[in-house]
Amino acid sequence: MTYALITGASRGIGLAIAQELARRKFNLLLVARSAPALEQTARQLATEHGIQTDFLALDLAETGAAQQVYDWCTQKKYAVQMLVNNAGYGLSGSFEKHALAEHTDMMRVNMTALIELTYLFLPQLRQQSKAYILNIGSSAAYQAIPLLSLYSASKSFVLQFSRGLHQELKGSPVSVTCVCPGSTDTNFVDRAQIGEKGRNAAKKVNMTPEAVARQAVESTLAGKTEVVTGFLNKAGKFMAWLLPKGLVEKAAGSIYE
Ligand SMILES: NC(=O)c1ccc[n+]([C@@H]2O[C@H](COP(=O)([O-])OP(=O)(O)OC[C@H]3O[C@@H](n4cnc5c(N)ncnc54)[C@H](OP(=O)(O)O)[C@@H]3O)[C@@H](O)[C@H]2O)c1
């Protein structure tokens, strides 16, 4: 029996991806820190869709977390056919405002855990007749963003790694897709401590996590390389490419002042 493993499945985009995949009859393995939320979702989706589900509550910022996820799957004999690296968050404000440990924790969740999980699960994914890696990037990947500098850099990392790996794995059963959402109505702004100006800007263009999840799953199953969700975010990516970098960065950073 094969499974889709989703990190950050306790809420927001990850939860919506779990719901979307459940509708398509994927068995699910849900990972995040919030055990009660994971347990409830696992039970509900199993009952509603007649699928197998399980969950593992752990902090992906901890050293060795990805190995723990892998060992848990091995012990339970869960074969992963789809790996969804969705867990992630931002920290807004000046780079120096946050403690170094806060930055390194964010880097571990956004980048290190994604890399380690990908590395550990790849041999197993290669054994499937068709397998998928879905990495959640961000529209923040397309330009540097002052006052959200490290987050945008971490998402550029996710995007470039995903694109490279997609090419490396051509001809294998594994396809890699990077989905880059723009503002989405989740807990993201609270966790990132984004101020009033940023919140108001986000509200005007927010997509629902369900709409993002639908596009993410569809494009993953279609084997796409890179997808920006929503027309406005696609237009934003084009403008970031077209306009002088300094201008784009000033405009992007002004949201977080
Ligand atoms: N919302 C947006 O505007 C937006 C835009 C572009 C990209 N994204 C990306 O979309 C992804 C999902 O974010 P979201 O918007 O759905 O935010 P969210 O509602 O805050 O959800 C984040 C998820 O990640 C999990 N997570 C956070 N820290 C974790 C840790 N240390 N260990 C394990 N799990 C952890 C959270 O679960 P627990 O708290 O239970 O651990 C939660 O399930 C992120 O990669 C984010 O960067 C979001």
Side-chain angles (χ1 to χ4, degrees):
M1 187 170 288
T2 59
Y3 290 80
L5 188 152
I6 307 165
T7 67
S10 59
R11 55 190 148 81
I13 295 169
L15 171 61
I17 290 174
Q19 292 163 337
E20 184 65 34
L21 288 171
R23 267 192 288 281
R24 293 164 190 257
K25 300 292 177 200
F26 277 83
N27 300 308
L28 298 176
L29 303 172
L30 311 176
V31 176
R33 290 168 305 174
S34 314
L38 293 177
E39 186 176 10
Q40 196 202 328
T41 301
R43 196 178 314 125
Q44 189 185 339
L45 293 180
T47 313
E48 277 175 14
H49 299 281
I51 56 169
Q52 299 293 314
T53 63
D54 202 350
F55 69 96
L56 179 66
L58 94 176
D59 186 345
L60 287 168
E62 297 283 336
T63 307
Q67 187 68 51
Q68 272 190 61
V69 176
Y70 181 75
D71 292 346
W72 173 70
C73 289
T74 309
Q75 229 172 38
K76 297 233 180 183
K77 299 198 173 13
Y78 293 148
V80 172
Q81 188 203 1
M82 182 187 288
L83 172 64
V84 181
N85 287 304
N86 160 77
Y89 61 96
L91 289 172
S92 71
S94 78
F95 176 62
E96 291 161 289
K97 172 180 131 184
H98 299 281
L100 182 56
E102 290 183 87
H103 287 311
T104 51
D105 275 0
M106 184 182 76
M107 289 165 72
R108 285 202 188 101
V109 177
N110 292 8
M111 298 186 286
T112 310
L114 177 149
I115 296 298
E116 291 181 350
L117 287 169
T118 302
Y119 190 87
L120 291 167
F121 280 101
L122 245 180
Q124 197 178 106
L125 292 168
R126 276 182 176 280
Q127 284 168 18
Q128 309 297 325
S129 53
K130 187 74 198 105
Y132 308 90
I133 298 174
L134 163 57
N135 291 333
I136 300 296
S138 170
S139 56
Y142 296 108
Q143 67 284 296
I145 306 182
L147 303 176
L148 203 62
S149 303
L150 188 53
Y151 175 73
S152 67
S154 76
K155 291 301 183 178
S156 299
F157 173 94
V158 170
L159 176 59
Q160 294 307 325
F161 170 68
S162 305
R163 288 201 61 101
L165 194 62
H166 180 98
Q167 296 297 344
E168 278 186 45
L169 294 176
K170 270 207 168 142
S172 87
V174 190
S175 72
V176 182
T177 302
C178 186
V179 168
C180 293
S183 287
T184 308
D185 192 9
T186 69
N187 195 48
F188 181 85
V189 283
D190 284 341
R191 179 92 195 263
Q193 302 163 28
I194 292 171
E196 226 24 59
K197 197 172 174 189
R199 278 166 197 272
N200 291 336
K203 269 183 205 151
K204 286 183 193 142
V205 293
N206 259 345
M207 285 179 71
T208 64
E210 291 75 20
V212 170
R214 200 163 43 248
Q215 288 189 32
V217 169
E218 272 166 15
S219 42
T220 300
L221 294 175
K224 300 226 166 113
T225 315
E226 176 184 341
V227 173
V228 177
T229 59
F231 172 76
L232 279 179
N233 300 319
K234 286 184 176 69
K237 176 188 166 185
F238 177 69
M239 296 308 274
W241 170 80
L242 185 71
L243 297 172
K245 278 186 178 167
L247 194 70
V248 172
E249 288 159 4
K250 201 169 166 214
S254 70
I255 297 169
Y256 302 97
E257 276 162 5

